[in-house]
Amino acid sequence: MNRRTFLGKAGGALGVAATGSTAWLTACDASSEPLVPGPSEDGRGVPLPVPGTAQTGGLVLRATPASTRGGNGGGIGSLAFNGSIPGPTLRVRGGDRFLVTLENGLAEETILHWHGLDVPALADGHPRLAVGPGASYRYDFTVSNRAGTYWYHPHPHGRTGPQVYGGLAGFLIVDETPGRGPLLPSGDREVLLLLQDKRLGDGGTPVYQPNASDRMSGFMGDTGFVNGAPFPFALVERASYRLRILNGSNARVFDLAMSDNQPFVLVGTDGGLMDAPHELEAVLLGPGERIDVVVDFSGSPAGSTIRLHSRPFQLVGGMGMGMGSPGDQGRAMDLMEFRVRDTPAVPSPAFGAFEPLEALPNLVGARTRSFSFSSMMGLHAINGRSFEMDRVDVRIPLGNPERWRFVNQSPMPHPIHMHGGHFRVLSRSGGRNAILPWERGYKDTVLLLAGETVEVAVLFEEHRGLFLLHCHNLEHEDAGMMANFEVV
Ligand code: C2O
Ligand code: CU
Ligand code: CU
């Protein structure tokens, strides 16, 4: 199928926009330059795309339809920020003024959310703030987060799934203060990896057309994409690399590992560095979660290739169709390849001292709130209710620590994400029955498998106003597995 017929077909889907079709494809400008090359004809893959870096003092981020062309002649209808997939990497430091304008060049409404940043409510990208085609939205706040790996993506109600899948996502890095904390690989040896999965249609083009079962389990693909390219490769020297990894897929949980079984040295999580490094063979990462790991290629033979992949895994649960099944979750997937160059081996230097985490908030006498997540008969709900834009579900007093209990009442995984701050995981009961090593630091998203209950400590200290708690499975979120809470 050539590109023209693909676009024609997508255009025909306009009438079913309400069911989540890719209506934005129709706005494709057929003459745009390719953004991301497809798999090359010799089958050797494409180099890992590296988005440019942008400063946030006065940046304009323009979301527009774009097109990419596969090496096999297939076109990909897609969306980009400033013509780039992923969007430009924003690098800031604590205390910086963050002044960014979103311009909506799409054919539908959108709004931007800075995932993991503590910002005033009006800068948080709540869907009630979404702006229509041609309009813009100005963000102006001071960065107050710890150094860490954050990201940005759209948040319009009911359309977050298709917009993120289309390519609207980017990294937002709060950099460490030089000279403080551990010594980690940097420069060319710091690599940002946005992991996604796409479903390829005729001609190798990603498609987004959720059917009833996708709306239950979330939309999952059959092909691993990293930074917008299918199974790309990166040339590496025989040295240590810092990989900041984001699961930016709509619904897929990855059980990440290196194909040669060499360990990840975990140094950070959602909200920044941990207090000590931790060696791990694999990490089960849900949509929205990040890990910061060091991998050491100094012992890898020159000329060898090592894959970053998601290992197959089995989910417990699956209680029949009515309750929804985890679908395709757990299939093995190759994500990218590291090709080791013939360079002298540079042994991994010592990290030096990590800084301690803050003490947990004092929860003596703290209030406990329960949020249960259910997926039944096509309905995704929190405490039995689906999202309503103007209904405030809970009010939380500023400055009072609380214990929040997340209960999974369904057979499928739910990555639970909180806006407005970070939490600390206190316990997990049922299912895996433990706090995993990558859950020991500051988190804004935590994965709940079937049967699991997770308790977290939350404390809102800075900003009053309306924020969100939701499942980061984007089809669940779009279907209403989201609640408003107001910090008062
Ligand atoms: Cu990354 Cu409310 O989302
Ligand atoms: Cu968020
Ligand atoms: Cu969910």
Side-chain angles (χ1 to χ4, degrees), residues 5-206:
T5 58
F6 172 75
L7 289 179
K9 189 176 172 187
L14 235 189
V16 290
T19 62
S21 84
T22 47
W24 36 265
L25 286 173
T26 54
C28 261
D29 170 3
S31 68
S32 357
E33 282 304 300
L35 296 160
V36 178
S40 62
E41 262 145 31
D42 63 6
R44 296 191 63 245
V46 292
L48 177 74
V50 178
T53 299
Q55 305 301 316
T56 52
L59 177 72
V60 174
L61 277 177
R62 184 168 169 78
T64 58
S67 64
T68 59
R69 183 184 292 275
N72 53 12
I76 301 173
S78 56
L79 305 176
F81 284 117
N82 297 357
S84 171
I85 298 175
T89 297
L90 313 184
R91 294 202 90 118
V92 299
R93 280 190 211 281
D96 280 2
R97 180 164 181 204
F98 189 101
L99 184 55
V100 174
T101 300
L102 163 71
E103 284 183 6
N104 183 358
L106 308 177
E108 60 183 41
E109 61 171 30
T110 194
I111 190 70
L112 258 181
H113 168 60
W114 319 102
H115 182 130
L117 280 206
D118 301 340
V119 300
L122 288 177
D124 194 47
H126 190 283
R128 77 190 191 288
L129 307 171
V131 296
S136 55
Y137 193 93
R138 192 167 174 274
Y139 297 84
D140 186 358
F141 56 87
T142 300
V143 176
S144 64
N145 280 67
R146 311 171 81 235
T149 307
Y150 307 97
W151 63 301
Y152 62 95
H153 62 79
H155 222 297
H157 188 44
R159 297 294 292 168
T160 298
Q163 291 189 10
V164 172
Y165 187 93
L168 296 179
F171 279 98
L172 200 175
I173 305 294
V174 180
D175 276 310
E176 286 112 27
T177 311
R180 278 187 59 190
L183 262 181
L184 298 170
S186 62
D188 288 348
R189 297 202 180 138
E190 177 190 348
V191 183
L192 310 181
L193 304 175
L194 165 62
L195 312 184
Q196 293 173 314
D197 59 328
K198 308 270 180 189
R199 195 176 296 179
L200 301 185
D202 294 343
T205 58

Side-chain angles (χ1 to χ4, degrees), residues 413-414 471 473 476 481:
H414 299 288
C471 178
N473 176 314
H476 293 179
M481 194 175 253

Side-chain angles (χ1 to χ4, degrees), residues 26 66 156 167 195-196 216 245 259 279 285 317 327 344 353 355 357 384 401 405 453:
T26 54
L195 312 184
Q196 293 173 314
M216 202 59 203
I245 300 178
S259 60
E279 226 174 80
L285 203 67
E355 294 181 352
L357 301 173
R405 180 180 295 146
T453 292

Side-chain angles (χ1 to χ4, degrees), residues 147-149 173-174 176 184-185 190-192 241-246 264-270 272-274 277-278 280 283 285 289-295 354 438:
T149 307
I173 305 294
V174 180
E176 286 112 27
L184 298 170
E190 177 190 348
V191 183
L192 310 181
Y241 282 75
R242 177 182 192 176
L243 309 180
R244 298 184 188 249
I245 300 178
L246 156 64
F264 296 125
V265 181
L266 180 80
V267 295
T269 60
D270 295 354
L273 293 177
M274 330 236 335
H278 198 112
L280 294 164
V283 176
L285 203 67
E289 290 187 286
R290 289 88 68 204
I291 48 169
D292 199 339
V293 299
V294 173
V295 292
F354 282 69
W438 56 92

